[in-house]
């Protein structure tokens, strides 16, 4: 299992690095990474539907009337991600019309409307529609809405970032690096020195020592990304040393904690469905949700730290 984890991990990193390189040098930011976001969101939505099915099939019972319509969940998820990427087609117009983040909000609202119309059409007997509606909207918002925030990170632009997309790429890469460094640090330190359980019922393997190691990993990743990597990418900050260091530290801690909560959020769903992994098609990793959980929840937190000026130019 460890062999598969190392092999797939290396392949994922290499593929993502290649896509980021092509996207960074593309005329329009996001054109190479958007298809990856779409595929990731749809796979995540599918795994959430799988968790719903597992939850309803416990003890051999069949409660399919409580399951959302899969086509609606997939369509709503796709709708959110694609609408959030509308600025790719006409960045100047959409920025003036709604603000770039407004398109993500519009996608989420339209997906809610789609779920409501679906349940109106499906209604036959009382007692199930609200449950299905909540499940539909959660799956679409989680898989589509949080993935859309990664799209928004890539599309960061305008003043004071500039319009060539380099700061958006730095924001995206830094977010992923900080979160995954947190995962790696927490796993390593937890395995070596973990003694005190952090969430013994929800995720018994997590320890407070591991959490501390994860935050150290997040800080190292933030310093490297916002220092040497930023200069290599041509993202020069006007901040003095002390404000820059404080910003890096705040970003690393807040985004690192958000990543931990993202990991625990999927642990909650899996525990409730009584399954070990969100799916089994990736040996050593489980499923897409197991791979993306920490990144997805950290994405909106990172976005607002960037636009609030905690870090950046």
């Amino acid at each position: 299992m460890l062999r598969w984890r190392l092999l797939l991990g290396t392949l994922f990193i290499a593929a993502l690095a290649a896509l980021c390189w092509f996207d960074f040098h593309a005329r329009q930011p996001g054109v190479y990474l958007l298809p990856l976001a779409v595929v990731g969101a749809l796979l995540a939505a599918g795994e959430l539907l799988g968790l719903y099915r597992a939850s309803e099939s416990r003890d051999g019972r069949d409660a399919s009337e409580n399951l959302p319509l899969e086509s609606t969940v997939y369509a709503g998820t796709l709708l959110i991600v694609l609408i959030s990427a509308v600025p790719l087609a006409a960045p100047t117009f959409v920025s003036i019309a709604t603000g770039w983040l407004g398109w993500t909000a519009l996608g989420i609202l339209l997906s809610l409307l789609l779920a409501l119309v679906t349940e109106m059409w499906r209604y036959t007997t009382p007692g199930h529609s609200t449950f299905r509606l909540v499940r539909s909207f959660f799956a679409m918002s989680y898989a589509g809405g949080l993935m859309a925030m990664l799209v928004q990170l890539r599309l960061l632009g305008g003043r004071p970032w500039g319009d060539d997309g380099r700061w958006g790429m730095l924001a995206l890469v830094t977010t992923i690096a900080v979160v995954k460094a947190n995962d790696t640090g927490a796993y390593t330190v937890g395995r070596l020195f973990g003694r005190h359980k952090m969430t013994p019922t929800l995720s018994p393997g997590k320890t407070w020592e591991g959490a501390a190691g994860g935050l150290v990993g997040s800080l190292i990743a933030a310093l490297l990304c916002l220092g040497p990597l930023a200069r290599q990418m041509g993202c020069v900050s006007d901040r003095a040393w002390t404000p820059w260091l404080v910003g890096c530290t705040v970003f690393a801690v807040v985004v690192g904690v958000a990543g931990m909560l993202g990991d625990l959020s999927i642990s909650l769903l899996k525990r409730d469905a009584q399954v070990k992994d969100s799916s089994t098609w990736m040996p050593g990793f489980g499923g897409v949700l197991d791979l993306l959980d920490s990144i997805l929840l950290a994405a909106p937190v990172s976005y607002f730290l960037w636009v609030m000026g905690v870090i950046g130019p």
Side-chain angles (χ1 to χ4, degrees):
M1 193 63 69
L2 178 59
R3 179 178 60 187
W4 277 107
R5 188 180 183 94
L6 293 174
L7 176 60
L8 290 177
T10 301
L11 292 176
F12 289 152
I13 293 172
L16 181 60
L19 283 174
C20 287
W21 187 90
F22 282 113
D23 203 85
F24 181 69
H25 292 88
R27 179 173 298 180
Q28 180 60 53
V31 294
Y32 287 97
L33 290 174
L34 179 60
L36 180 62
V38 169
V39 172
L42 292 176
L43 289 174
E47 290 185 3
L48 286 172
L49 291 169
L51 291 178
Y52 293 162
R53 289 191 296 270
S55 179
E56 291 300 327
S57 62
R58 288 199 303 261
D59 303 323
R61 60 190 175 93
D62 180 16
S64 57
E65 66 272 13
N66 289 327
L67 296 175
L69 193 64
E70 293 190 5
S71 58
T72 296
V73 172
Y74 284 125
T77 300
L78 181 63
L79 187 69
I80 296 172
V81 177
L82 291 182
I83 289 182
S84 72
V86 165
L88 284 172
T92 302
F93 168 74
V94 299
S95 180
I96 295 173
T98 65
W100 288 11
L101 189 58
W103 290 94
T104 298
L106 177 62
I108 293 174
L109 292 175
L110 289 176
S111 72
L112 174 59
L113 177 61
L114 177 63
L116 282 168
V117 171
T118 298
E119 291 308 320
M120 292 176 194
W121 172 70
R122 292 183 70 190
Y123 182 82
T124 54
T125 56
H128 305 291
S129 295
T130 302
F131 195 35
R132 294 194 302 245
L133 180 62
V134 170
R135 280 181 158 177
S136 295
F137 188 58
F138 174 78
M140 294 184 295
S141 299
Y142 189 97
L146 294 181
M147 184 63 75
M149 293 307 301
L150 287 172
V151 175
Q152 292 300 321
L153 274 171
R154 177 63 187 102
L155 297 180
L156 277 176
R159 295 181 180 179
W161 291 281
D163 295 319
D164 59 0
R166 68 182 63 191
W167 280 100
M169 178 59 79
L170 180 65
L172 178 63
V173 170
T174 302
T175 301
I176 296 174
V178 165
V179 171
K180 286 307 174 182
N182 185 286
D183 290 346
T184 302
Y187 178 80
T188 303
V189 175
R191 288 291 299 269
L192 294 176
F193 307 106
R195 296 293 184 273
H196 301 87
K197 301 293 184 181
M198 185 169 65
T199 55
T201 302
L202 188 59
S203 186
K206 289 181 173 54
T207 64
W208 288 108
E209 292 84 358
L215 292 179
V216 172
S218 291
L219 180 58
I220 293 173
L223 293 174
L224 291 175
C225 289
L226 297 172
L229 180 61
R231 289 191 294 271
Q232 184 69 27
M233 295 174 61
C235 300
V236 181
S237 175
D238 296 329
R239 298 168 186 250
W241 165 254
T242 300
W244 176 84
L245 181 59
V246 171
C248 289
T249 303
V250 171
F251 182 84
V253 172
V254 176
V255 173
V257 170
M260 293 180 193
L261 293 176
D263 192 5
L264 289 172
S265 70
I266 296 302
S267 295
L268 171 65
L269 297 179
K270 292 189 296 184
R271 286 280 176 185
D272 190 58
Q274 297 183 22
V275 298
K276 183 179 184 297
D277 296 316
S278 57
S279 70
T280 58
W281 67 280
M282 288 191 299
F285 286 95
V288 171
L289 286 175
D290 296 301
L291 186 65
L292 295 179
D293 50 9
S294 52
I295 296 175
L296 289 176
L297 202 64
V301 175
S302 173
Y303 179 87
F304 284 107
L305 289 176
W306 276 94
V307 298
M308 290 170 60
V310 174
I311 52 175

